[in-house]
Amino acid sequence: MAKRTMPVPAVRYERDANGGELLYRLRFRYCEKGRLAMLSHLEVAHYLERVVRRAELPFAITNGFSPHMRISFGGALPVGVGGTCEIFDLLLYRDVSPEEALGAVRAASVPDLLPYACERIDRRAKAASVAYPKSTYEVVFDRPVASLAVPEAVEVVRKKKTRVLAPADFLIEPPAFAGDTMTLKLVSKDTGSLRPDVLVRAMTAGTDVKVASITRTALAE
Amino acid sequence: MPQPTTDLWPRLRDLLPLAERPVRYLNHEFGSVYRTPEDDPADTSFVMVYPDTYELGQANQAIRILVNCVNAQPGMYAERAYLPAAEFADQMREAGLPLFSLESCAPLREFDAIGITLPHELAATNVLEVLDLAGLALRAEDRAEADPIVLGGGPCAFNPEPYSAFFDAICIGEGEEAMPEMVACIGAGRAAGKTRQEILEDLADIPGTYVPGFYRVLPDEEAAAWGYRVKPVNGHALPEIQKRVFEGFAQSPAWEPCIVPFADLVHDRLSVEILRGCTRGCRFCQAGMMYRPVRERSADNIVEGALDGLKQTGYDEVSLTSLSTTDHSQIKEILERMNAAVAGKGIQVSIPSQRLDSFGVDMSALVAGEKRGGLTFAPEAGTQRLRDVINKNVTEEDVFSSITAAFREGWRRCKLYFMIGLPTETDDDIRGIASLVTRVYEAAREVTPPDQRGRVRVSVSLSLFVPKAGTPFQWDGQIAPEEALRRVNLLRHSIKFRAIDVNWHDPATSFVEAVMSRGGRECCDVIEGAFKRGARMDAWTEHFRPEAWRAAAEEAGVDAEALAQRTFDLAEVLPWQHISSGVHLSYLRLEHKRAFKEQTTPDCSFGTCTGCGLCPDYGIDVETQEVRVG
């Protein structure tokens, strides 16, 4: 009979004064552009985990039966929507300078999903997924558009259930138009959010305007 | 032929919003290899196709190995292609978008050569879907001079006859060396301005290459006199094609560069092939016959390769793959070294199958950490008599010792694979499965602490025996689907515990597998007829259309039942007799006779040679790192 061997921890976490694990939190910003805007949130999350492993950063892992990387992601982008300011947070068991960490993850990335900034943040700061509820989207059409009406209600089907959302509840300000571009500012709420692509589809329904791209260009608290 | 220049991406991009999972078609994964402006535009272009969707194909080792081998050679390059999902294929057809390669999004028909792997019998109509979507003639004889040369290979190539009309040339055996040779041959031929016929003749001169168009099918009497079903009609074609063996396997690096996909694959992990071949000699197993001899990579090579691979890919799981991983003579050392190296990194080491003895369980315990999911074992038959017939050299004691060891080690679930419809099987053997499983369940409960006994689960997975070309059971018929269901029901009614659940494969798909496995050239018409009636993606339950196959067989005048279910005479000339896996026909006949006498044959990698004939013919030998004990 084989002897049961407990997994040997390769690293001993440093402890703070209260005996807690001393971990370092880094926040990365990355872009998701080109054809990779067609990736789902889960696919991007999966990818970023592998980037961190390839970069050989000293990432912390969870305790328990199924240890996994202590990484967390910002608000999800719908499939087909790109981003220039997406974020993910990573907990490290050893302090690494943001410059060094950024260099390592960039070398392990593909060009259309490339981290471009990194900073140290407080371990107790808000989680990446709720840190920035306000998003700005740039919608590029196939032609100049002077204005489009915002419908009063949008029907959303999720998990076979239909919900009716009022865009006014989510729009921070009225959409702005300049040439072929529309700027949308949406806030996500605890009760849910309105996807920009769903709103744009509703706004362009009944017109022959086509959407060339949708990109999240700014995040705000 | 000039290299592909058309970029279909702008057209594909417009269609992608209609795709269920766009990630299948995006390309740009980490590790993809692209052409650069510095590359020679005269390089021969090759695209390797897996005839199913990206999720299945990207995980396939053959595609990875062959693309790497071609890219490693000067003067040629390889790209990948997969079939789109059925619904998206329809949308592509409607939009007039042909099948494309991933890396450069170029139409397949612009490449010099297309390679399609034949992973299993149910991929037959998908081969036609690939050709049709690519805009190529389905049949090799209808292709134009400038069309790509369509190459085949893979497990099903050991009976290539049902596919013979659709391929220009088929590689028999391992492709590591053969595939670059074939691509080089096509490139040289094209550069020299040779005709398609001349290029095919050059290909036929490469060992292990079968050019079906260079043979004619013989009538029964002539075949009996000639000894093969087909006869060369071209001076370059050999009467018998011997499979290729990659003799450098054991010494080749265990780390083979791979692409890290964005999509969630069926096997989404790093796989490291630690050994090739298995000579346990199960008489139904085609892989056991065609990947001989056993060749082990060294522990150093494997551990370094796996760690290097983890570092370069960022995967959090590595699977040490082979037909029988726990048979590796250094497996304990490999697993212990791997465990030590990945400790604390959240990386899991896995092995795909367990040997049915306590050693197999010990090895599983080594890699399982604190996580005890389910363990899988394959006793294959319920009685000792039938296990002797199939040469599954496993005793009832082995079964019980391994399963009780597993439950003592903390596992609470196990899955047992059985085959039904094996030659000589009777109802007693079916009841034997029920009896064995019941006793396994009771034994598992006994060694489990009382408070955890409620969690003990045993699941039984039944598959229907499919006679495979090149095995000792190639002569034996399959039982009819109705009879298979009767036996499944007999088993289900013989099991009394609710904690034991029984699952089975649809016998209708196994029937098609048997037809494709034992058919001759007449099956080309059946495949084409089924495809034209809408059959494709047959391995997907929701797409399988048995009525299309039935109608196609009827139209082609093929007695499908006879092909699948008839027991062939040992003296009969088989449709695939001109394809040799290196194992002598006389040995297969001997093994067949031993089966019916319930005599077993030992594994030559653990002891002495059993005389299959392969090693002396090739001048090679079993390559284990240390003496195997077990």
Side-chain angles (χ1 to χ4, degrees), chain B residues 362-507:
Chain B
D362 289 353
M363 292 305 102
S364 305
L366 258 182
V367 294
E370 290 305 289
K371 202 173 170 182
R372 297 285 195 269
L375 269 193
T376 305
F377 299 99
E380 306 291 3
T383 57
Q384 194 58 47
R385 184 199 70 80
L386 194 53
R387 281 196 295 274
D388 289 345
V389 168
I390 63 176
N391 202 41
K392 186 86 194 176
N393 282 316
V394 162
T395 61
E396 195 148 304
E397 197 191 323
D398 292 331
V399 176
F400 280 97
S401 70
S402 50
I403 288 169
T404 49
F407 281 83
R408 271 200 201 100
E409 280 285 318
W411 275 281
R412 294 291 167 260
R413 281 184 292 126
C414 79
K415 190 185 213 178
L416 300 172
Y417 280 113
F418 291 95
M419 223 179 250
I420 57 168
L422 285 162
T424 78
E425 184 182 77
T426 63
D427 282 0
D428 284 343
D429 296 303
I430 300 287
R431 287 189 208 100
I433 298 177
S435 157
L436 179 69
V437 173
T438 304
R439 284 176 292 133
V440 159
Y441 171 68
E442 287 168 342
R445 274 178 63 92
E446 207 163 289
V447 296
T448 302
D451 59 321
Q452 294 177 26
R453 284 182 185 162
R455 285 168 51 209
V456 172
R457 291 280 179 282
V458 176
S459 79
V460 178
S461 186
L462 300 174
S463 61
L464 180 56
F465 163 69
V466 177
K468 299 271 189 174
T471 66
F473 285 165
Q474 61 184 352
W475 293 278
D476 297 285
Q478 187 182 57
I479 57 170
E482 308 77 54
E483 172 62 10
L485 287 177
R486 187 193 68 81
R487 293 189 196 184
V488 167
N489 284 327
L490 174 62
L491 173 64
R492 287 172 63 207
H493 294 131
S494 309
I495 287 176
K496 307 290 177 221
F497 292 104
R498 282 173 63 190
I500 303 173
D501 65 311
V502 181
N503 307 293
W504 62 97
H505 289 283
D506 176 13

Side-chain angles (χ1 to χ4, degrees), chain B residues 514-525:
Chain B
V515 175
M516 288 300 111
S517 178
R518 299 212 299 174
R521 288 204 178 185
E522 69 278 13
C523 284
C524 296
D525 291 340

Side-chain angles (χ1 to χ4, degrees), chain B residues 149-441:
Chain B
I149 306 275
V150 181
L151 308 172
C156 289
F158 281 83
N159 175 15
E161 292 309 297
Y163 312 91
S164 55
F166 314 121
F167 287 96
D168 293 299
I170 298 175
C171 170
I172 311 296
E174 296 170 356
E176 276 94 342
E177 292 161 330
M179 196 48 89
E181 287 170 26
M182 292 170 88
V183 176
C185 170
I186 294 166
R190 290 246 151 117
K194 287 187 179 179
T195 63
R196 201 173 177 88
Q197 172 78 7
E198 288 168 331
I199 293 175
L200 292 180
E201 286 175 352
D202 291 347
L203 281 172
D205 291 338
I206 296 175
T209 310
Y210 175 53
V211 179
F214 289 172
Y215 296 78
R216 74 180 171 92
V217 179
L218 301 178
D220 288 351
E221 271 179 30
E222 228 181 301
W226 171 248
Y228 300 107
R229 274 275 155 202
V230 296
K231 191 170 188 177
V233 291
N234 183 298
H236 293 265
L238 294 174
E240 184 178 303
I241 311 292
Q242 289 276 337
K243 79 161 181 194
R244 291 290 291 266
V245 176
F246 175 39
E247 291 180 27
F249 174 82
Q251 292 73 39
S252 62
W255 158 236
E256 296 167 88
C258 70
I259 284 161
V260 187
F262 297 112
D264 208 0
L265 305 186
V266 285
H267 297 294
D268 199 8
R269 58 181 91 105
L270 176 69
S271 59
V272 174
E273 193 180 5
I274 70 166
L275 73 100
R276 196 171 282 182
C278 169
T279 40
R280 294 210 154 233
C282 299
R283 291 176 177 134
F284 54 83
C285 178
Q286 194 181 34
M289 297 294 152
M290 73 191 182
Y291 291 114
R292 291 177 177 221
V294 166
R295 288 149 285 163
E296 293 180 353
R297 283 173 167 152
S298 72
D300 287 347
N301 185 358
I302 292 162
V303 174
E304 281 163 26
L307 295 178
D308 199 16
L310 285 169
K311 191 168 147 181
Q312 296 201 33
T313 59
Y315 273 118
D316 61 358
E317 183 178 351
V318 55
S319 179
L320 305 176
T321 64
S322 75
L323 291 171
S324 56
T325 293
T326 39
D327 279 344
H328 194 294
S329 59
Q330 297 171 315
I331 188 67
K332 190 162 184 282
E333 177 193 340
I334 294 166
L335 294 179
E336 284 172 348
R337 283 171 64 181
M338 283 300 300
N339 270 351
V342 302
K345 292 183 181 169
I347 287 174
Q348 199 191 336
V349 182
S350 62
I351 49 179
S353 56
Q354 281 84 40
R355 214 160 89 171
L356 250 172
D357 56 20
S358 55
F359 180 76
V361 175
D362 289 353
M363 292 305 102
S364 305
L366 258 182
V367 294
E370 290 305 289
K371 202 173 170 182
R372 297 285 195 269
L375 269 193
T376 305
F377 299 99
E380 306 291 3
T383 57
Q384 194 58 47
R385 184 199 70 80
L386 194 53
R387 281 196 295 274
D388 289 345
V389 168
I390 63 176
N391 202 41
K392 186 86 194 176
N393 282 316
V394 162
T395 61
E396 195 148 304
E397 197 191 323
D398 292 331
V399 176
F400 280 97
S401 70
S402 50
I403 288 169
T404 49
F407 281 83
R408 271 200 201 100
E409 280 285 318
W411 275 281
R412 294 291 167 260
R413 281 184 292 126
C414 79
K415 190 185 213 178
L416 300 172
Y417 280 113
F418 291 95
M419 223 179 250
I420 57 168
L422 285 162
T424 78
E425 184 182 77
T426 63
D427 282 0
D428 284 343
D429 296 303
I430 300 287
R431 287 189 208 100
I433 298 177
S435 157
L436 179 69
V437 173
T438 304
R439 284 176 292 133
V440 159
Y441 171 68

